[in-house]
Amino acid sequence: MTAPLTLRARAAAPVKNVWHALTDAAELRVWLADHAEVELPDRYEFWGRQVPEGDAPHQRLREVGEHSLRFDWLLDGEQTSTEITLTEESADSTVVTLTQSHWTFQDVVTGASIRGVLQTYWSLAIANLVDHVEGRPLTPKIDFTSTTMRTEVVVDATPEALYESLTDSAKVSEWFGYPVGIEPEVGGRFAMGGFENNPNPAKVLDLTPGRAMTVDWGQAGVVTWELSGSGGKTKLSFVQSGFDRPPYAAWGGWLSGLAELRRYHELPDWRPIWLYDPTEVVPPEAHAES
């Protein structure tokens, strides 16, 4: 079996607040899932349309520590293991570490198992956990029951500033946490990993300067975003279409990326929430193209 997937993020909140958000059923229903029930140390369950195979709760709590919990999660017939640990970094800072078994990038590429969504699913969940405990609006979650992939987020920034952050290679690479090469012109390349590392980049199909862009990602479909501003804020509308079957892993990657884009513009002392191990190559949201 491959090594467990590991995600680490920083929340600007005391560890007791993050633990409460992580272990209180009413809190979980805000940032994680439609339905949740928690009775520590015996029960930790979440389910609903915002959860992979969320027709019923499929988790079984195995271990609870002072600020950690571990549970089994049955997905696509396999018993996977999830562990979440909170570490107090300071009085007002907590590091969230999640490890998840039974995830491989091959499942992301082929779509052979719902387990392929686990990295971006947890990336978005952690981003929403962080925003929740910091008192910020949440990013929309994935609807695993829908084949329509569209969402809207409001960003506290002007359309001009947001357009630059979505089309300038250096700015996108900064907030996305991963090299991205963009040629903002019809027929231009959109290369995850940068132009020099991506021999098969996506293609810009349409571009309205200052307002909208459409990019063809091949089997993952076509992504279109559009901006509309009002009162110094901007509504970002985002649609992914034209795929044979819903690429939920990619959708989770885009949404977790949008969560960081909002923070990038709205926090004056912005820094990424993600903490990477030096051996890691791909950040959580970089599977948006899959």
Side-chain angles (χ1 to χ4, degrees):
M1 184 183 299
T2 58
L5 165 71
T6 300
L7 302 173
R8 299 178 68 239
R10 175 185 288 113
V15 68
K16 67 175 183 178
N17 294 15
V18 184
W19 181 247
H20 177 69
L22 183 64
T23 57
D24 180 85
E27 294 281 288
L28 287 173
R29 295 181 201 122
V30 174
W31 65 267
L32 181 61
D34 294 314
H35 309 289
E37 295 296 337
V38 178
E39 296 175 7
L40 300 182
D42 301 313
R43 187 183 187 190
Y44 191 86
E45 299 175 336
F46 52 92
W47 70 99
R49 62 188 176 87
Q50 299 162 339
V51 177
E53 295 190 342
D55 58 306
H58 296 297
Q59 301 83 24
R60 178 177 296 181
L61 189 59
R62 290 300 189 186
E63 183 179 345
V64 180
E66 182 180 8
H67 290 129
S68 65
L69 54 87
R70 181 173 61 84
F71 55 88
D72 293 340
W73 185 2
L74 184 66
L75 284 168
D76 194 22
E78 291 282 350
Q79 202 69 258
T80 77
S81 178
T82 308
E83 184 170 357
I84 306 174
T85 302
L86 307 182
T87 304
E88 184 178 57
E89 193 175 47
S90 69
D92 296 309
S93 181
T94 301
V95 173
V96 181
T97 302
L98 180 141
T99 60
Q100 173 68 59
S101 72
H102 291 76
W103 177 89
T104 67
F105 187 64
Q106 187 65 20
D107 283 338
V108 180
V109 174
T110 65
S113 171
I114 189 63
R115 296 190 301 273
V117 309
L118 285 172
Q119 184 183 32
T120 59
Y121 168 77
W122 280 124
S123 299
L124 177 59
I126 292 172
N128 273 334
L129 169 61
V130 170
D131 278 335
H132 179 60
V133 297
E134 292 182 3
R136 293 172 42 78
L138 303 187
T139 299
K141 306 175 187 71
I142 308 167
D143 184 349
F144 288 97
T145 68
S146 176
T147 57
T148 301
M149 297 191 175
R150 63 176 66 241
T151 195
E152 294 181 350
V153 296
V154 175
V155 184
D156 191 4
T158 65
E160 294 79 12
L162 201 57
Y163 181 82
E164 185 178 11
S165 293
L166 287 164
T167 58
D168 179 85
S169 297
K171 286 188 175 295
V172 176
S173 299
E174 184 178 12
W175 62 261
F176 207 66
Y178 188 64
V180 180
I182 302 174
E183 295 171 338
E185 58 189 39
V186 175
R189 295 172 296 169
F190 195 122
M192 301 297 292
F195 297 128
E196 65 280 6
N197 296 317
N198 189 335
N200 298 299
K203 181 180 179 180
V204 178
L205 296 182
D206 195 16
L207 183 72
T208 303
R211 183 181 175 188
M213 176 185 279
T214 299
V215 180
D216 183 356
W217 292 92
Q219 291 185 344
V222 174
V223 168
T224 298
W225 55 258
E226 185 174 356
L227 308 175
S228 58
S230 177
K233 298 180 183 293
T234 302
K235 180 173 71 175
L236 169 58
S237 301
F238 195 95
V239 179
Q240 189 164 359
S241 60
F243 37 76
D244 293 331
R245 54 184 172 179
Y248 292 119
W251 190 236
W254 286 118
L255 289 173
S256 59
L258 292 181
E260 197 63 45
L261 173 65
R262 290 172 50 242
R263 298 175 64 87
Y264 179 75
H265 279 279
E266 295 177 351
L267 298 180
D269 55 348
W270 172 82
R271 60 177 176 175
I273 67 169
W274 300 106
L275 305 170
Y276 301 127
D277 185 285
T279 62
E280 287 185 315
V281 177
V282 182
E285 61 272 25
H287 298 316
E289 64 175 313
S290 303

